[in-house]
Structures are given as structure tokens and as C-alpha cells.
Amino acid sequence: MPSVVLEAGPNQIIVVYSPADTAAEVDVAAAYGAVATDAADRSASGWRIVSTTAVTTRHAQAFMGREGSGYETKMSVVVVYSKP
């Protein structure tokens, strides 16, 4: 999954993971599975997760003009990592 690493001071980074928009409902388990795999790889270098959040970035079109219909089709997961 594409990601962007942002330096956030000594021994801290912010990583923004952005799964592709497939125009289908976001597969949260797959997205967080990819994050978990990357976090496990980073742990070998001493990085540990401090916090995570999900940011929705696109909502499916309203169905027949009804408010609140549809589902999220795009999201990003933001993870803060630090080293002791």
C-alpha cells in the first residue's frame, strides 16, 4: 500500500498509508492488515506505534439523493511511530 513518511522530530515519524480507491466499500481489515505488516517490519528497527487514526477521504455517491446513503470508498490511515 502506498505510504508517505513524514519526519516529526527526533525519533518520531508520521506515516500516512493510502489504499487505492476501488469505488467499492473500504476493506478496513485489509488496510489495517497492511499497516500491521509494515509496523512489524519497522519494529525490527526499533520503531513502535504510538497512535493511529483513520481519515475518510471519499464517500460514495448518494443513492437517489438520500442523505447519508452510500459508504466510504477511500480512506487513509495515519500512524505515529517513535523510537525509545
Side-chain angles (χ1 to χ4, degrees):
M1 168 182 352
S3 63
V4 175
V5 177
L6 307 166
E7 298 294 329
N11 299 320
Q12 185 166 277
I13 57 173
I14 299 170
V15 182
V16 180
Y17 301 91
S18 297
D21 185 352
T22 63
E25 187 171 3
V26 171
D27 184 345
V28 176
Y32 275 93
V35 171
T37 298
D38 187 51
D41 292 344
R42 290 177 191 277
S43 72
S45 299
W47 292 105
R48 299 290 183 258
I49 292 177
V50 174
S51 65
T52 68
T53 191
V55 180
T56 56
T57 55
R58 188 170 299 127
H59 187 274
Q61 180 174 323
F63 178 71
M64 298 180 73
R66 289 186 282 186
E67 184 73 26
S69 61
Y71 46 81
E72 302 305 325
T73 65
K74 179 93 173 115
M75 64 167 309
S76 293
V77 178
V78 181
V79 180
V80 176
Y81 291 91
S82 70
K83 281 186 178 183

